[in-house]
Amino acid sequence: HTVTTRFLQGLSNYDIGVTVGTTVSIVELDIGVFNGTGPYNTAFTPTATGGQDPLDDKLIVGRGGVALMEDKVRAGISITSGETTDPLAFVPAGSPGFPPTVSAKIWRAGFDVMAEVANVVVQSEATYGNSTLLTLLPGTPNGPTATGGSAYVFAGYRLPHGFLPHVRFEYIELSMGDDYTDPDGPLVAKRDWNNAVAIGVNWDP
């Protein structure tokens, strides 16, 4: 997976939920609802099926898209909103002003495009959104909030016998620093951005 997975799902890659979808002509529609606790939250006993679910709000994920040129080109927009207890990797340990918390309100918006024309394969996705830490203390305001984003671009060329040599560029920034005035505030982690280049060959027999 690209690092964009981390921005969308935290450090855990599965959760309990249900999804439904349909395709009408060239239009694709999908929606899912999930617990949002993840399998490895820090405040409740984890289990293989997603742990206990203490959250008030679920995670709702939706995507609408189009498929063109007999499905050779697909593009869509997606949204995610709700509450999650996945680890908040953008908060450095011992941060000042960090509230006692087990969850965060999040939203994400994304754009994706996939194309395979004349053996050239291109895939890309860009996401943007924020996370607000929820406090456990009654009467105490929530926060702080971090704004972040991530994107990748994958390009390859399909060869005979299922081989796909490719290159992938990716970038993630978990807290962009535009939601608070103090440059040394609680969500300013040193080097909370990463970029990478991957080169490889997929084989699909």
Side-chain angles (χ1 to χ4, degrees), residues 69-142:
M69 298 175 59
E70 298 180 345
D71 289 347
K72 292 181 180 179
V73 178
R74 300 172 62 211
I77 57 175
S78 56
I79 57 170
T80 301
S81 180
E83 185 178 353
T84 178
T85 60
D86 277 330
L88 299 175
F90 56 80
V91 179
S95 294
F98 179 65
T101 183
V102 294
S103 66
K105 289 274 192 181
I106 69 165
W107 68 263
R108 305 282 187 264
F111 172 76
D112 64 84
V113 61
M114 296 167 278
E116 182 166 352
V117 180
N119 291 351
V120 175
V121 179
V122 177
Q123 298 180 8
S124 182
E125 184 171 12
T127 61
Y128 176 87
N130 66 32
S131 306
T132 300
L133 305 183
L134 299 182
T135 182
L136 285 176
L137 304 178
T140 303
N142 294 321

Side-chain angles (χ1 to χ4, degrees), residues 91-194:
V91 179
S95 294
F98 179 65
T101 183
V102 294
S103 66
K105 289 274 192 181
I106 69 165
W107 68 263
R108 305 282 187 264
F111 172 76
D112 64 84
V113 61
M114 296 167 278
E116 182 166 352
V117 180
N119 291 351
V120 175
V121 179
V122 177
Q123 298 180 8
S124 182
E125 184 171 12
T127 61
Y128 176 87
N130 66 32
S131 306
T132 300
L133 305 183
L134 299 182
T135 182
L136 285 176
L137 304 178
T140 303
N142 294 321
T145 294
T147 297
S150 183
Y152 72 88
V153 177
F154 173 103
Y157 188 84
R158 195 172 298 283
L159 298 175
H161 310 297
F163 290 100
L164 180 65
H166 62 267
V167 60
R168 185 180 74 203
F169 303 90
E170 52 187 325
Y171 180 83
I172 186 172
E173 187 167 358
L174 295 171
S175 62
M176 295 179 179
D178 57 356
D179 280 328
Y180 37 86
T181 57
D182 182 2
D184 299 316
L187 291 177
V188 179
K190 291 182 178 180
R191 199 174 159 78
D192 72 343
W193 59 269
N194 293 277

Side-chain angles (χ1 to χ4, degrees), residues 44-78:
F44 302 92
T45 304
T47 71
T49 56
Q52 300 180 43
D53 185 18
L55 306 184
D56 294 330
D57 297 328
K58 308 305 176 194
L59 271 179
I60 299 176
V61 181
R63 179 185 180 272
V66 294
L68 306 172
M69 298 175 59
E70 298 180 345
D71 289 347
K72 292 181 180 179
V73 178
R74 300 172 62 211
I77 57 175
S78 56

